[in-house]
Amino acid sequence: MLESIGNAFKKSIDKITSAIFVDKSLIESVVKELQRALIIADVDINLVKELTDKIKELGKGNIKGIEKKEQLIKLLNDELQNIIGGEKKQLELGKKEKILFIGLYGTGKTTTISKIAAYYKKRGKKPVLLGLDVHRPAAPEQLEQLGKKLEVPVFVNKQEKNPIKIYNEFKEKLEKYDLILIDSAGRDALEKSLIEEISEISKTIKPTHTILVIAADIGQTAKKQVEEFKKACKIDGVIITRMDSSAKAGGALTACAQTGAPVYFIGTGEKPADLEEFNPKTFISRLLGMGDLETLLEKVKSATDEKQRKKLEKSLEEGNLNLKDVVEQMKSLEGVGGFSKLKELIPGFNKIKSEDEEKLENAQQKTKKWEHIIKSMTPYELENPEILEKQTSRISRIAKGSGTTTSDVRTLLKQYKMIKEVSSGAKDFGDITNPSQLSQKQLMKLAKKFGKKKMMRF
Ligand code: GDP
Ligand code: MG
């Protein structure tokens, strides 16, 4: 459905969460990814530009670390919600409702009516279907069949070609039901005869709601269609069908939001159960697979250990990075591995078992091991890990004490050595007259090396 948009936003959020610094290249890659996905989904180019401009603007500002990350993620979440419909607008049903469904030919009106009947029947309503599509010869039969399956009564007259007459014929019988769903005829385009027909039906029947049915595969053209129908007759809101089968679904959704017409439901298949009430907020949570915004921000916080980052920066500046610092930093980087945790929050997302996830799980297990190793070391060993290389008996003792192997201990030592090398090498470059600048650069270089080694190792 909207996988490409969902994945692009998900990737961006992951990138932001796991980055040590929010810098220009991070913003650029996020912007590029989003632009691509939104354009493929046929989202209006102006909307795409607006969104990515906001990200760039926020990226420029001078807020540091975690606050910037939080702001960026909040912006992404809010903007995505905005472009697909803002706050939820529910179809409010009173005690007795007459809903007229209109739309062009083949958009899914008849199918949607049966879905709506099934949906509200389950919720205690007494629906009835009235067939006023007098143009398509097979229309009454289709409605009858759908009604029969759902055990919902259907009123049609296969001979009569005047919809008003059909309505009058069944008017009294319809009174027995509290949810009258009225099917109407479509046309290939919004032509005058269709508007006249709908207007006349509207005047006579006085529906409590009029809902326009459109198909997702028209993409952003939905905007024009909704606007034209709005001009021609009064509509309350929209149902978008075929959300399951069109890559342009994102375009259709965002286009409807642009017109201000609420999307009440979306159709996600041909069966009666393939209907979802549309709520931008929960829709996005599901799309991103990350629960709500609060949960997401919580994850950013736990993944970004500011204190730890500052400490590391200081140790690097002073040139006395120790093993504990290294492991703590690894831990905070990999805390992002929350992917598997995030997944648990969302039903249906367990299916995703990616290579990345396995990598992360491995990495997490590894850092856990390292933690145990460190706990088995004496303060002297922690301050001077170099001595371990020469004293294998110490390595064996640590391995035993931590429930790991000597090769685990050696791996940790190697990692430490590498970071130490990078950090001392980093002293040679950068502006020495500006220590804060220097330490940032050091860290960046460190992070880069770190990342590369990590990829190789896990
Ligand atoms: P109408 O002319 O507007 O009444 O359209 P129909 O209800 O007859 O539907 C036209 C076609 O679209 C049918 O083959 C439906 O099964 C199909 N359809 C309707 N809604 C959906 C949907 O949400 N997903 C998919 N995949 N197909 C749908
Ligand atoms: Mg129909």
Side-chain angles (χ1 to χ4, degrees):
M1 193 193 327
L2 297 174
E3 277 92 356
S4 64
I5 297 190
N7 286 338
F9 273 83
K10 225 181 332 196
K11 259 197 211 160
S12 304
I13 287 173
D14 278 350
K15 263 185 198 165
I16 295 166
T17 311
S18 57
I20 298 187
F21 300 109
V22 176
D23 59 7
K24 211 172 145 204
S25 78
L26 176 75
I27 298 286
E28 265 169 21
S29 86
V30 164
V31 163
K32 221 191 232 163
E33 184 123 43
L34 291 177
Q35 278 175 341
R36 223 189 100 248
L38 291 168
I39 288 166
I40 288 175
D42 198 36
V43 174
D44 181 348
I45 191 84
N46 295 313
L47 278 182
V48 178
K49 201 175 167 307
E50 251 174 60
L51 168 67
T52 49
D53 281 351
K54 278 184 195 165
I55 297 171
K56 281 187 200 162
E57 194 53 42
L58 187 59
K60 267 191 220 155
N62 220 0
I63 315 146
K64 271 203 163 175
I66 189 158
E67 285 138 56
K68 180 82 124 216
K69 286 188 183 183
E70 282 183 336
Q71 283 190 351
L72 267 173
I73 286 178
K74 197 164 175 329
L75 178 79
L76 282 181
N77 187 86
D78 291 352
E79 285 303 311
L80 186 54
Q81 193 178 321
N82 258 345
I83 66 172
I84 72 160
E87 290 297 314
K88 179 184 179 187
K89 288 171 202 95
Q90 208 166 355
L91 179 62
E92 305 275 358
L93 290 194
K95 277 212 174 87
K96 205 170 173 74
E97 298 282 350
K98 263 188 261 179
I99 308 179
L100 174 64
F101 292 81
I102 61 173
L104 297 184
Y105 177 71
T107 54
K109 287 181 299 299
T110 311
T111 316
T112 302
I113 286 169
S114 69
K115 288 176 179 178
I116 294 280
Y119 183 89
Y120 284 110
K121 192 183 171 194
K122 256 195 205 156
R123 286 157 179 78
K125 291 272 179 198
K126 260 174 75 182
V128 61
L129 313 184
L130 175 66
L132 299 187
D133 180 354
V134 290
H135 289 259
R136 249 186 74 222
E141 196 140 332
Q142 185 192 3
L143 202 64
E144 270 182 332
Q145 279 174 7
L146 289 167
K148 207 169 159 189
K149 258 193 228 158
L150 303 169
E151 295 179 17
V152 169
V154 177
F155 294 122
V156 289
N157 182 334
K158 291 171 192 166
Q159 275 76 47
E160 183 54 62
K161 290 295 166 205
N162 181 339
I164 305 296
K165 281 193 180 158
I166 301 177
Y167 173 70
N168 286 330
E169 181 187 340
F170 297 114
K171 200 175 164 190
E172 262 171 51
K173 285 185 179 155
L174 291 170
E175 286 302 313
K176 278 196 352 214
Y177 302 89
D178 59 6
L179 182 60
I180 304 165
L181 303 172
I182 304 154
D183 193 13
S184 67
R187 301 288 192 280
D188 285 328
L190 183 62
E191 51 190 69
K192 211 171 149 214
S193 73
L194 178 60
I195 297 162
E196 281 170 2
E197 190 177 312
I198 294 169
S199 308
E200 211 187 334
I201 291 176
S202 255
K203 246 190 267 155
T204 316
I205 297 181
K206 297 189 185 67
T208 51
H209 293 284
T210 302
I211 293 178
L212 174 66
V213 180
I214 59 167
D217 40 29
I218 62 171
Q220 60 175 293
T221 326
K223 186 176 173 202
K224 208 168 139 226
Q225 204 178 105
V226 175
E227 275 167 355
E228 278 181 9
F229 267 96
K230 258 181 151 178
K231 258 187 255 157
C233 51
K234 183 193 149 287
I235 60 165
D236 295 88
V238 178
I239 293 180
I240 308 178
T241 64
R242 293 212 274 272
M243 287 290 289
D244 55 310
S245 56
S246 172
K248 290 183 170 183
L253 256 184
T254 50
C256 286
Q258 280 178 297
T259 67
V263 177
Y264 292 133
F265 288 92
I266 51 174
T268 56
E270 295 188 68
K271 293 191 296 301
D274 299 331
L275 181 80
E276 285 176 28
E277 213 175 311
F278 183 66
N279 178 349
K281 214 169 170 173
T282 50
F283 188 77
I284 285 171
S285 295
R286 229 182 37 200
L287 195 64
L288 298 180
M290 285 175 178
D292 56 13
L293 181 64
E294 284 70 36
T295 321
L296 197 55
L297 292 178
E298 210 34 60
K299 296 283 163 199
V300 183
K301 272 198 194 124
S302 61
T304 316
D305 190 337
E306 277 298 281
K307 252 202 240 144
Q308 191 49 43
R309 194 179 69 87
K310 288 217 175 81
K311 217 178 117 202
L312 181 70
E313 218 166 350
K314 197 163 162 266
S315 304
L316 274 168
E317 252 176 62
E318 293 166 357
N320 54 14
L321 183 74
N322 69 27
L323 254 180
K324 252 189 181 158
D325 292 330
V326 173
V327 172
E328 283 305 317
Q329 185 61 18
M330 287 295 286
K331 253 173 60 192
S332 77
L333 281 179
E334 275 141 12
V336 192
F339 194 80
S340 48
K341 274 178 234 142
L342 292 174
K343 223 184 50 180
E344 288 160 19
L345 298 173
I346 310 294
F349 264 83
N350 322 343
K351 278 179 239 141
I352 309 164
K353 175 92 187 167
S354 66
E355 218 183 292
D356 283 349
E357 196 188 336
E358 271 169 33
K359 264 189 217 158
L360 278 168
E361 271 167 19
N362 285 340
Q364 278 170 340
Q365 278 171 10
K366 196 150 269 186
T367 41
K368 261 225 176 76
K369 260 189 202 168
W370 290 356
E371 243 189 303
H372 292 310
I373 294 175
I374 284 195
K375 278 186 192 140
S376 298
M377 288 165 77
T378 64
Y380 181 70
E381 287 165 347
L382 277 175
E383 298 291 319
N384 308 285
E386 296 77 17
I387 60 158
L388 293 174
E389 280 174 50
K390 287 169 220 127
Q391 301 184 21
T392 42
S393 61
R394 280 183 190 261
I395 292 185
S396 305
R397 192 209 78 233
I398 293 165
K400 236 185 225 158
S402 57
T404 61
T405 64
T406 51
S407 104
D408 288 331
V409 180
R410 285 184 199 283
T411 308
L412 172 59
L413 290 174
K414 248 192 249 159
Q415 196 90 20
Y416 162 74
K417 227 174 129 183
M418 181 203 85
I419 290 168
K420 188 114 194 188
E421 265 164 34
V422 176
S423 63
S424 56
K427 277 200 194 114
D428 303 334
F429 91 120
D431 182 2
I432 314 243
T433 57
N434 183 348
S436 77
Q437 180 82 5
L438 177 70
S439 65
Q440 281 249 344
K441 279 191 179 166
Q442 283 176 332
L443 262 181
M444 299 265 245
K445 194 167 167 191
L446 170 66
K448 237 185 220 159
K449 275 257 170 131
F450 216 10
K452 253 188 223 152
K453 285 271 170 168
K454 236 171 62 180
M455 296 302 283
M456 272 159 45
R457 199 173 290 278
F458 301 120

